[in-house]
Amino acid sequence: MIIDHPMLGPRDASEFTYLGDASLIDRPDWQADDAAEAFYEYGYLRDNPAGEHQELWYHEAGDRSWLVVTRNTLTHEISKVELARDVARARGRSK
Amino acid sequence: MHDLVAITALGGTEPRMDTVAGVTCSEVPDVALASVAARMGQENNVIKALEALIETPVPDVGQSAGAVICAFWAGPDQWMIEAPQDSHEGIATQVKSAVGNAASVTEQTDGWTRFDLSGPNLTAVLELLSSLDLRKATTGSVTRSSIHHIGCFVLFRTPELFSIYGPRSSAGSLHHAILTAMRSAL
Amino acid sequence: MTQTNRLSGGQIDRNTTLNFRFDNHSYTAHPGDTLASALLANDVRLIGRSFKYHRPRGLLTAGSEEPNGIVELRTGSRKEPNTRATTAEIFDGLEAHSQNRWPNLKFDALAVNDLFSNFLSAGFYYKTFMWPAAFWEKLYEPIIRRAAGLGSLSMEADPDEYDKGFRHCDLLIIGAGPAGLMAALTAGRAGADVILADEDFTPGGRLNSETYALGDHSAPAWAAQAVAELTSMPNVRLMTRTTVIGAFDHGIYGAVERTGDHLPTLPAGKPRQILWRIYSQKALLCAGATERPIAFENNDRPGIMMASALRTYANRFAVIAAPRVAVFTNNDDGHRTAVDLHAKGIKVAAVIDVRDDAPSSYDYEVLKGAQVVDTKGRHGLTFVEVAMPGGETRTLECGALGVSGGWNPNVHLTCHQRGRPIWNEALAAFVPGADLPVGLTVAGAANGVMSTYGALQSGAEGAAKALDLTSALPDLPDAEDAPVTQTPFWYVQGCKRAWLDQQNDVTVKDVKLSYQEGFRSVEHLKRYTTLGMATDQGKTSNIGGLAIMAEVAGKSIPETGTTIFRPPYTPVPIATFAGRMKGQEFHPTRLTPSHHWAKERGAVFVEVGNWLRAQWFPLPDETHWRQSVDREVRQTRASVGVCDCTTLGKIDVQGTDAAAFLNRIYANGFAKLAVGKTRYGLMLREDGIVMDDGTAARLADDHFVVTTTTANAVSVYRHMEFTRQCLFPDMDVQLISTTDVWAQYAVAGPNSRKLLQKIVDPEFDISNEAFPFMACGNITVCQGLRARLFRISFSGELAYEIAVPSRYGDALMRRLMDMGEEFDVVPYGTEALGVMRIEKGHAAGNELNGTTTALNLGMAKMVSKKKDGIGSTLSERAALNEPDALALVGIKPLEPEKKVTAGGHLMNIDGPVDTAHDQGYVTSAVYSPILNSSIGLGLMKNGHARMGERMRLVSPLTDLTIEVEIVSAHFVDPKGERLRA
C-alpha cells in the first residue's frame, strides 16, 4: 500500500504504524456526567464499515505525523489523507 | 578541558572507511546536531531566527540549506541543525540563544551516527536499502525513511555524495547493511 | 554419446562447450541452453517420476509452466529441489538429479503404485487413511510422505545471500515478447521511465521460438534489435531473468530477479536472487499465452509434449526430442510446428487434427478428423495409436508427439486482487476481466490478441494509452497476422486414464468422480483432487479440469467458474523473501555505549528488544551464572555497583504546556513538580490498565526529560505523539527522543556518592543536603564534560543515574571503574538489576503485563482524580475495583531451599487446587543473596490484607507444590531509608 502523505507525497505503507478508527480523536470530556459511559463507548465500540473508513496512521519511520487516512476497506483505495492535527482541530479539539 | 576520550559510533577511536568499486562509505563523527521545534504560534519567529543563524532561507519540507551551519527539515515546524563538532560542540546552546523562547531546542549530537557515501552509481546502492523514489532525490533534498528497519535521514548533498543519519546505537547494523548493499550492487 | 539430438541453427553458442551432470552421468551443452534443452540434446527424455503413481515422465513444455520436468539442482547445502529444468539456465559444472524415484529413475520401486491406480483415485487418502485416527501421525503420514512428494531438502543452511530492493517507474511492462518489446519501445522513445521485466534470460518471448519474419528480420533478430535499442535508452531498465510474481495494492509489484542462479559460483558479496518491490504509476501486462494440452490415453509418456515446446526446442535451442515426430492438434498453430520441423529435415509422421476441415499439406500427411487414442513406450514414446474418422485405427511410429489444444492467455496477475477473468467464446479461453488491479492494463496474447502483428500493435497502443501519449505510434513491422479462433477440444472420449494434471497425477476420470461424489465447486474440486496445486499451479491443467467439470455438470465453463490465481506467479525460494534479514541480521541490533568495554570484560549479553545488554560479568573463577549475579548484588548493596541503563527510553518534553501535557500522559500529577526534581510517573492506557512507568525530571519550567521502560520506548513515544497531535492539538509541547544521545549509567550502593564525588566537578555539590533523593540537574564531570545527574534508585540503595554524551560513555565507564577501585566497585548486569528490584519490590515488565491496574500494583492513590489523566476515568470501573482485586505481594518459601517459580499459582493452604479456587500467581522470582532465599513477587486476591498468610504455590507444569508465606513486596529496606541516606 502507498499513503499519499499531505506534506511528503506518496510513501510506502511500511513506514507507517496503524492505530485504528479515527473516532479515537473524539476523546470524551472527563468531567461530563456520563463520562464513564462515554469513555466506555469511546474505548470499545467501533463501526466496521464495508467501504470508506477513516483511520489513524502514524508516520513512524518518517516525519512522526499522525494522519487520518480515508480508505475503502473493500478496495483499499485511499481517497483522502489529512494531518490528524488538522482534523482534530476541525473537530473542535484544543488543549 | 576534560580528558575523556570519545569513541565513534562503530566503537573505534578513528572513523571507519570502506571502499567498494569506487564508492566510499565513511563514518563521520565530526558532526554536532540539535533539533529545533517551533513553539505554538512562533513558527515565523523561528524561521527568521534560523535564517539569521544559517545565513540562507530556511529549508522547505524535505529540503536542506546552509553551509557551515546547515538546517534540514525533520518534521512539521521542526528542523535539525547540523555543524562540525570540532567548532560547534555547543550547537544546542548556540541555537537556543538564536531562537530564544520561540522554539524548543534539544541536543541531538550523539543520538545519531552519520555515514557519507560518495562516488558514482550511488542509486544502485540506495535502491537496495530504501524504498525512496530516487528519481525525486535532487541536490539538497532530505528524506526520513527506514533502512533495514532502522529509521534514518537520507541527505542528498550532490548526485555523488549523500549522507545517511541513523540512530547511534544501531550504527553496526546500519553499517553492515550499507556495506553489503555496496558489495551487492557495485 | 554427445548431443545426438542437436540440429543446426538456434540461439546457442556452439563455440563454447559446457559440461554438466544429470543423475551422475556427464553430458555437454552450450551457452543458451536450458537444462531441459541440454538433456533433450543428449537424448535424455526420461526426467522424473510422477508424484503419486511414479510414472516415467519427460518434459511437457519449454517454459515456466512446466509440470513434469522438475529436478534437484546443485548439491550439498546449495541443493535446490523442485526446480523446473525448462527454466534452469545451463552452466559449466551444473549438477542435477531427478526426483521422486528409488532406487533410480529407470527402475523405480514405487512405480508399483501405478498398478494400483484404480484404488488411488481422487480422494484416495481422505477415504483410506481415515481411521484409526491415531494411526495418521505415526503411520500413515510418514509412509505417504516418503512415497509421494517431490524433491528433498539439503537440511543445511543456504550459504548464499539474497537481497531485497526497491525500484520506481512510470510504466512497468511485464513480459518482453512482441507486445512487451513494442510497448517498451513506444514508452521508452517517449521518454518515460520504463521497467521491462522478463522471466527469460533472452528477451523476446515467443519471437525467439518462431521462424516467421517481422519486416526484414527474422523474429529473433527483430527481438534482438529491439532489445539493443532499449538497452541504449537511459530511461529504460530491462530486467531479464526477472519474474513479476504478484500485483499488489496501489501499483506495487513483486518481482524476483535471478541474478546468480546461472552462475557456477557467485562472486563475493553478490546475491543469488533479488526480491524487488516495484512501484509503478502504470503497469502493462504482456505475459503472453500458454499452450494447453489435450487429454488422451497414456498422454504422459516422455516424448509427448506441447507442440509449441517441440517448436521452441527445435528453433531456439536447435534440439529435437526424436528423429521422427507427430503432432496432435485441434487448431492451426499445431500445424506451424509440423511446418517448422519439416523444414529442419525432421520426419513428420503425421499431423493428427481433430477437425474435419483441417488444412492440408504437401510435406506431410494430415489425418483430419482423427484422434490419438493411445500411446506406447515404457520410458519414452515409441508409437501412437490414432482413431480415424471411419473408425479404423492407425499406428504411427514416432519418438515425440507435439500436442496443441489451443492457447490460454496468461491472465494470472489480473486476478491477484480478486479480479475474475471472463470467458471469450471465439478463443474458447479466459481473457482478463474488467476489474483489474488499479493502473494495470493488458496487451498482446495475455489479452487474447493472438497474432504477432496484433501483439505488436496492442503493445504500442497499450503503452501509449497508459502514459497518455499524444505522439503518433511507432511504425510497426509487417508480421504474421492470421486470425485465431479456437474450438475447444479437451479430451479424447473413452479413455481409462487420460492425464489432465501431470504434476499431481489427476486424470479426466478423477474430475468426473469428484463431481459424482459431490464436489461441485471448482475450489472444492481443486482441493479434493489436488488438480492445479504444487509448483506449476495448474498452468497447463486448470482449464481442462474446469471444462470437464462443466461438461459433467451440464453447465458452461463461465457458469462453472474459475479458481483464483494468487501470488506468486512461479515458485519463490523462502530465502528470497528473507533476503539479508537472517541470522544475526534478522533485526537491527542496538549496542549500548559501554558495549565494547563490557565485551572486553567478558560480559554475557542478553537481547532486550533490539538491544544487547550485559546480563552479568563473570569472573574467571566463576563457573555458574548465579555466582556472578549473587556477587554483583552483594557488592552493590555493600559498596557500589554500576549498570548501563542507556536502553531506557528518554524523551525530551519541552514547551509552555509541557507540565500540563505530562498531567495528561501520567496518572499522577506533574504540574507542581519543582525544577531540579524528579518524580516517578505511572502511565495508564485509556482503558485504565497500566501502560508503562518511568520518571520525569524537570530541568526547567518548560523542559522535562521523561524515561520509559526499555521495552516500551517506541510505543510510549508513539502514544505521546498521538496525545499531542490528535487529542490536544493546541498544547504547546514538543517531543523528541534522546535515548541514543546520552550514555546513562546507574551508580548504586552506599558508596555511590563517594564514587561520583571523585568525577563530578567540584563546583557541583552533590551532598545529601544539596542534592537529595529525587534531585536532578545539569552538571559537568571530569573537568568540564557536560552531564546530567538524577538521584533516582531502582535497586533501593542510595543511587544516581549519570548521563554524558554517548561518545564519552565508554570512557566514563572506564573512569568509574578506575575511580571506584578503592570502593571495590562492581559492574552489574540485567540479572543483578532484576534481583535488586525484586528485593526492593519495584514493579517491572512482568508486573506491567497488560492486565494490571494501578490498584493491582498498590499505586491506586497515585491516580489523580483532580485532573484529566489518560485512563483515569475507566480505571474506576467497578470490575477493576472489586474488594478482592489482585494486589502486589511478596512471596517467600517456608523452607528457604525451596524455589519460588514465576508462573506458579497461589492456592489456599487447605482448599482445592483448581482454577476456580485460584488466588493469584507469581510474576517474578529470583534467588536473593541478601535474604539467602528464593523470593518472588506476585499478584494475589486481596493480597495487601493477607500478609503473613501461608499459601500453597503450585505449578502443574513443573510438578511444583511448595508452601509459601505472603509478605510485603518490599523485602529490602521497606522504609526507604537507604534511598535517602
Side-chain angles (χ1 to χ4, degrees), chain C residues 390-435:
Chain C
E392 73 274 27
T393 304
R394 273 186 63 178
T395 301
L396 299 174
E397 186 183 357
C398 58
L401 176 71
V403 181
S404 179
W407 292 77
N408 288 328
N410 288 331
V411 300
H412 302 70
L413 264 70
T414 68
C415 305
H416 282 185
Q417 288 168 39
R418 296 194 76 83
R420 295 281 182 169
I422 51 173
W423 185 251
N424 180 309
E425 280 296 339
L427 290 176
F430 281 105
V431 296
D435 46 356

Side-chain angles (χ1 to χ4, degrees), chain B residues 65-78:
Chain B
V68 178
I69 300 182
C70 168
F72 61 87
W73 192 87
D77 302 315
Q78 194 188 333

Side-chain angles (χ1 to χ4, degrees), chain C residues 665-713:
Chain C
I665 286 288
Y666 285 118
N668 50 325
F670 277 82
K672 291 179 185 152
L673 181 66
V675 173
K677 289 288 182 195
T678 307
R679 181 172 287 171
Y680 174 82
L682 187 69
M683 211 174 272
L684 302 183
R685 309 192 309 215
E686 195 67 88
D687 63 2
I689 301 295
V690 175
M691 174 191 268
D692 198 55
D693 69 350
T695 60
R698 193 165 202 171
L699 297 179
D701 263 345
D702 57 357
H703 188 185
F704 291 81
V705 175
V706 164
T707 67
T708 72
T709 59
T710 301
N712 290 334

Side-chain angles (χ1 to χ4, degrees), chain C residues 294-462:
Chain C
I294 297 171
F296 52 89
E297 188 74 23
N298 286 318
N299 60 328
D300 63 334
R301 297 194 192 282
I304 301 175
M305 57 176 74
M306 303 311 307
S308 61
L310 211 50
R311 192 155 91 232
T312 297
Y313 285 118
N315 290 337
R316 175 174 170 181
F317 298 105
V319 164
I320 187 67
R324 199 179 155 90
V325 303
V327 172
F328 180 30
T329 184
N330 74 335
N331 66 85
D332 290 354
D333 194 66
H335 292 255
R336 210 176 261 163
T337 297
V339 170
D340 282 5
L341 295 181
H342 175 79
K344 285 191 170 280
I346 308 300
K347 174 66 188 168
V348 177
V351 172
I352 303 125
D353 194 321
V354 300
R355 300 172 298 178
D356 297 326
D357 59 347
S360 305
S361 169
Y362 294 110
D363 299 324
Y364 46 80
E365 193 179 4
V366 178
L367 307 180
K368 301 181 186 184
Q371 300 178 8
V372 176
V373 290
D374 202 357
T375 69
K376 297 272 185 313
R378 173 133 186 80
H379 289 148
L381 183 68
T382 50
F383 293 97
V384 298
E385 267 182 37
V386 180
M388 299 300 289
E392 73 274 27
T393 304
R394 273 186 63 178
T395 301
L396 299 174
E397 186 183 357
C398 58
L401 176 71
V403 181
S404 179
W407 292 77
N408 288 328
N410 288 331
V411 300
H412 302 70
L413 264 70
T414 68
C415 305
H416 282 185
Q417 288 168 39
R418 296 194 76 83
R420 295 281 182 169
I422 51 173
W423 185 251
N424 180 309
E425 280 296 339
L427 290 176
F430 281 105
V431 296
D435 46 356
L436 302 180
V438 175
L440 180 78
T441 47
V442 192
N447 208 25
V449 182
M450 293 303 195
S451 79
T452 306
Y453 186 84
L456 293 168
Q457 189 176 34
S458 115
E461 287 172 357

Side-chain angles (χ1 to χ4, degrees), chain B residues 44-178:
Chain B
N44 290 333
N45 294 336
V46 175
I47 286 172
K48 268 185 226 155
L50 285 183
E51 206 168 297
L53 182 74
I54 64 173
E55 298 174 338
T56 186
V58 171
D60 208 343
V61 177
Q63 297 294 316
S64 64
V68 178
I69 300 182
C70 168
F72 61 87
W73 192 87
D77 302 315
Q78 194 188 333
W79 298 266
M80 282 287 225
I81 310 299
E82 182 196 43
Q85 159 89 355
D86 280 352
S87 50
H88 294 76
E89 185 168 355
I91 187 78
T93 316
Q94 189 182 353
V95 174
K96 184 66 187 170
S97 58
V99 298
N101 281 333
S104 296
V105 177
T106 304
E107 175 172 337
Q108 286 283 297
T109 300
D110 281 355
W112 302 88
T113 178
R114 174 170 141 193
F115 295 104
D116 278 4
L117 283 166
S118 58
N121 209 12
L122 294 180
T123 54
V125 179
L126 205 55
E127 71 180 7
L128 292 182
L129 293 170
S130 148
S131 65
L132 298 177
D133 187 350
L134 300 172
R135 300 175 301 170
K136 294 179 186 160
T138 50
T139 295
S141 69
V142 179
T143 313
R144 193 171 190 176
S145 185
S146 63
I147 290 179
H148 279 229
H149 300 279
I150 301 168
C152 296
F153 286 106
V154 184
L155 280 69
F156 299 90
R157 297 190 194 266
T158 72
E160 302 218 325
L161 172 67
F162 55 74
S163 301
I164 297 174
Y165 277 104
R168 181 179 173 102
S169 59
S170 306
S173 291
L174 180 57
H175 182 255
H176 174 85
I178 293 171

